Amino acid sequence: MNRLLFLLTFGAIGAAILVALGVWQVKRLDWKQSLLAEIEARIDDAPVALSARPDPETDKYLAVELTGTILPGELQVLTSRKQQGPGFRIIAPFRTEDGRRILLDRGFVVEEDRASVREIGAATLTGNLVWPNETDSFTPPPDAATHTWFARDVAAMAQALETEPVMVVASSETDPGIEPWPVGTEGIPNDHLQYAITWFSLALVWVAMTLYFLWRPRARNTG
């Protein structure tokens, strides 16, 4: 009797924990889908003028329109794109009509076009505000000799190019040789449905194993 009670209790607690984890992932899925919908809506909004003090929290992904000048002194961020292979994001200083200097992510060039001369000067473009968090303790420091960076770091890049710590990712073309790489939700992971299925499946396995251990002694006795 004690063994039966132990198995029932152990099985019920384990199954309840696994089901609770599955339910939590379902709630996370709903939250993530709402977040992605909000981001996509903000990305596709009509562009507005760049505010005086963009906020990394409230203005992230905000669509903006810029008029000013693309300045020399680009930084190149090593990266890769599917079906295209390795290449570089081109980050340039941009001076707005009112004299502000910000960072402009112009887009992607393949590795063989790295040394190509790119157009600078007067430009009007649209894009989205971002403050990417791509660095960690394993990210190599920039190579000052080649202007090669290994991740986008708004604060460090702003210091290197003497701009505000504000980055706009261009969604329109700034040079025929640069492929725009606009902001999107493709890189934001949303695996919560898979996780929920995994937890619910484990709960079913747990219940099945509990029933098996409850049935086995009786099968032996009747045999």
Side-chain angles (χ1 to χ4, degrees), residues 5 17-18 27 40-41 49 57 65 73 79 94 99-100 106 116 133 137-138 142 152 159 167 173 184 204 212:
L5 182 60
I17 291 172
L18 293 170
K27 291 180 179 178
E40 288 171 352
E57 295 298 326
E65 183 175 47
T79 186
F94 185 90
R100 297 169 62 185
R106 303 184 67 181
S116 300
N133 182 20
S137 57
F138 299 102
R152 289 181 297 176
Q159 185 175 7
M167 176 179 287
E173 183 182 290
L204 288 174
Y212 170 75

Side-chain angles (χ1 to χ4, degrees), residues 80-87 108 110 112 179 181:
S80 65
R81 296 189 76 175
K82 290 182 179 180
Q83 284 81 49
Q84 291 180 282
F108 178 81
V110 293
E112 52 266 31
E179 183 177 348
W181 196 345

Side-chain angles (χ1 to χ4, degrees), residues 73-169:
E74 70 180 35
L75 305 176
Q76 300 171 343
V77 184
L78 182 64
T79 186
S80 65
R81 296 189 76 175
K82 290 182 179 180
Q83 284 81 49
Q84 291 180 282
F88 298 86
R89 279 186 179 270
I90 304 301
I91 311 297
F94 185 90
R95 184 176 63 235
T96 63
E97 285 183 310
D98 56 0
R100 297 169 62 185
R101 287 171 61 101
I102 64 170
L103 298 168
L104 176 65
D105 184 333
R106 303 184 67 181
F108 178 81
V109 297
V110 293
E111 190 171 20
E112 52 266 31
D113 292 338
R114 178 182 187 181
S116 300
V117 176
R118 279 169 276 279
E119 295 180 3
I120 57 175
T124 296
L125 56 97
T126 56
N128 297 86
L129 287 166
V130 294
W131 285 265
N133 182 20
E134 299 176 344
T135 61
D136 56 31
S137 57
F138 299 102
T139 305
D143 185 337
T146 62
H147 303 289
T148 302
W149 291 60
F150 301 94
R152 289 181 297 176
D153 183 332
V154 171
M157 288 179 163
Q159 185 175 7
L161 294 178
E162 298 180 342
T163 71
E164 297 177 31
V166 173
M167 176 179 287
V168 172
V169 176

Side-chain angles (χ1 to χ4, degrees), residues 44-85:
D44 295 333
D45 275 348
V48 298
L50 181 66
S51 64
R53 292 179 179 273
D55 183 86
E57 295 298 326
T58 59
D59 292 328
K60 192 174 184 180
Y61 306 117
L62 181 69
V64 295
E65 183 175 47
L66 298 174
T67 299
T69 305
I70 301 174
L71 302 173
E74 70 180 35
L75 305 176
Q76 300 171 343
V77 184
L78 182 64
T79 186
S80 65
R81 296 189 76 175
K82 290 182 179 180
Q83 284 81 49
Q84 291 180 282

